[in-house]
Amino acid sequence: MNSPKMSSWLNKLGFGARPEPSMDSSSSSSSSSIPQGPDDDIPDPGQQFAQFGAGCFWGVELAYQRVTGVTKTEVGYSQGYVDNPRYEDVCSGSSNHNEVVRVQYDPKECVYDTLLDVFWTCHDPTTPNRQANDVGTQYRSEIYFYTPEQEKAALESRDRQQKILNRKIVTEILPAKKFYRAEEYHQQYLSKGGRFGSKQSSDKGCNDPIRCYG
């Protein structure tokens, strides 16, 4: 059974069935299988990266947009085998990519542990390859670290969270791999209004419920 705090956040995120993507074969990317190296993008001066997979990236991104000290968020795909994947590739499950949010933050204003707290509370880390009605390897729960310090903090945070829950945490903690930015229409999807035309606040400190699907 989830803790009351986790259940509250899951209700806020409103997880449910996602719209089916267009499967137009003309938009499919190269199917060549390649090993994925580390994320070699560079954050802005004085900033750091963090990367999380926690189910549908729309609601997860909005949760991080609201965190004081977070200066940029991007949604994308990582940890798969296909170069330059498209949304259709990821949804098919054949590329093994995860839907992720890459967070850029100012460590003077936001400590990494704060980002971990948001991660644990914005999804259910005990369901493998699933968040509510969203099912597939692209919805797996994972923390991708950039530094040894992040790895240590993530492991310690997972151990603390495990003591709170009544079910085993399935979250994997792995080095961050190459980040492929998702299609532009996915970026800041909910704060721009999404397909439902109702913009949701990304103001820092906002506690309004997050609605992923209407």
Side-chain angles (χ1 to χ4, degrees), residues 54-174:
C56 171
F57 50 22
W58 296 338
V60 180
E61 181 180 32
L62 183 56
Y64 280 113
Q65 285 180 272
R66 294 173 171 183
V67 176
T68 300
V70 168
T71 56
K72 184 179 181 180
T73 61
E74 296 177 281
V75 298
Y77 316 119
S78 191
Q79 303 284 331
Y81 307 127
V82 175
D83 190 32
N84 196 30
R86 300 293 298 274
Y87 182 56
E88 290 80 7
D89 301 314
V90 176
C91 286
S92 74
S94 62
S95 74
N96 199 51
H97 283 88
N98 196 4
E99 289 193 11
V100 301
V101 178
R102 187 171 68 181
V103 176
Q104 180 178 280
Y105 65 101
D106 183 345
K108 294 180 180 178
E109 297 186 30
C110 175
V111 297
Y112 185 63
D113 278 345
T114 297
L115 303 180
L116 291 171
D117 288 344
V118 173
F119 172 80
W120 296 121
T121 55
C122 77
H123 80 303
D124 184 348
T126 70
T127 52
N129 299 328
R130 179 170 190 162
Q131 290 300 311
N133 291 332
D134 286 340
V135 180
T137 56
Q138 71 269 32
Y139 302 120
R140 59 192 185 269
S141 173
E142 299 199 6
I143 299 170
Y144 303 124
F145 60 86
Y146 284 82
T147 66
E149 291 77 17
Q150 286 188 354
E151 179 184 21
K152 180 176 183 293
L155 290 169
E156 292 175 350
S157 178
R158 183 186 63 185
D159 291 345
R160 290 194 299 270
Q161 191 69 18
Q162 183 66 75
K163 294 179 181 179
I164 299 173
L165 304 178
N166 295 321
R167 290 187 291 161
K168 179 178 174 58
I169 286 178
V170 297
T171 305
E172 290 189 311
I173 299 174
L174 301 169

Side-chain angles (χ1 to χ4, degrees), residues 5 30 35-36 45 57 99 115 129 137 145 183 190 196 205-206:
K5 182 178 181 182
S30 168
Q36 295 298 306
F57 50 22
E99 289 193 11
L115 303 180
N129 299 328
T137 56
F145 60 86
E183 294 82 350
L190 298 181
F196 305 104
C206 178

Side-chain angles (χ1 to χ4, degrees), residues 190-211:
L190 298 181
S191 61
K192 291 177 180 177
R195 68 188 299 229
F196 305 104
S198 178
K199 295 181 180 181
Q200 299 182 52
S201 175
S202 60
D203 292 346
K204 300 302 184 185
C206 178
N207 291 317
D208 291 348
I210 296 175
R211 307 179 309 281

